[in-house]
Amino acid sequence: MFSKEEAAQIRKDFWVSFGKSFPRKWIKYNTQIKGFSFKFVAERKYAMVVLDIEHPDEIYNEVLFEQLQSLKTILLNEYLPEVIFDDAYALETGKIIKRLYVQFPEKFSIYNKNSWKACYEFFVETMNQFEFFYYEYEDYIKQAL
């Protein structure tokens, strides 16, 4: 395996390479909704694109998640047919959040550079679809608050 330092360098190389290969500004945390953010996730055994709902006030989390569930058919049929809605996703820290996500369908490891290119393409395609959906329904989603 890798030392802690080697593993950290590989993770850094992965993200630097992604940024250089696909230089653009993603929406990520700039949704203007507190606790509502898009993220790229790449770990030892999986990669995914996620929409996390983790507002400090649980009522806001419920309302936002319900608002997204009301758009579920549209999201599945027109944008991301593989999206998974999870109202109790457990983070590695043990914190439970609400998450919508699409998992990279191929075998992946951040430590295997041979899997990076396909993952990058998945990230771009999936995040683009998430962003198209969000921009189209942003006003409706914000109505929940």
Side-chain angles (χ1 to χ4, degrees):
M1 250 356 255
F2 302 103
S3 71
K4 193 173 184 178
E5 294 80 19
E6 289 171 325
Q9 185 61 49
I10 291 170
R11 286 191 304 276
K12 180 181 176 184
D13 292 346
F14 175 86
W15 293 112
V16 168
S17 176
F18 176 59
K20 287 181 179 178
S21 300
F22 298 95
R24 72 162 277 212
K25 185 166 174 64
W26 302 97
I27 188 172
K28 295 179 71 180
Y29 298 94
N30 195 23
T31 62
Q32 288 136 18
I33 301 173
K34 186 175 184 178
F36 191 90
S37 56
F38 294 91
K39 299 174 186 169
F40 296 108
V41 176
E43 297 292 342
R44 189 170 57 86
K45 292 187 177 184
Y46 64 91
M48 58 186 165
V49 177
V50 305
L51 169 55
D52 283 346
I53 304 168
E54 49 185 332
H55 191 283
D57 186 333
E58 188 57 38
I59 292 172
Y60 284 103
N61 292 331
E62 290 294 331
V63 170
L64 283 168
F65 193 76
E66 287 174 12
Q67 196 78 334
L68 288 168
Q69 282 184 309
S70 73
L71 297 167
K72 185 175 184 174
T73 301
I74 294 168
L75 181 58
L76 287 167
N77 292 335
E78 297 179 25
Y79 297 93
L80 293 165
E82 309 85 13
V83 73
I84 297 168
F85 284 67
D86 191 336
D87 66 348
Y89 189 90
L91 298 176
E92 288 181 13
T93 62
K95 181 178 180 183
I96 304 296
I97 64 169
K98 299 186 182 324
R99 174 176 273 184
L100 278 65
Y101 65 97
V102 180
Q103 189 140 354
F104 181 56
E106 300 174 28
K107 187 174 180 178
F108 174 80
S109 172
I110 198 165
Y111 303 115
N112 178 357
K113 290 185 179 184
N114 294 327
S115 66
W116 289 9
K117 185 178 186 288
C119 181
Y120 293 161
E121 291 168 356
F122 163 78
F123 277 174
V124 170
E125 182 179 321
T126 306
M127 186 62 85
N128 278 337
Q129 289 302 108
F130 254 136
E131 287 183 342
F132 291 149
F133 166 76
Y134 178 73
Y135 288 130
E136 183 69 27
Y137 295 96
E138 178 179 8
D139 291 338
Y140 177 77
I141 293 167
K142 288 180 178 177
Q143 277 181 342
L145 304 174

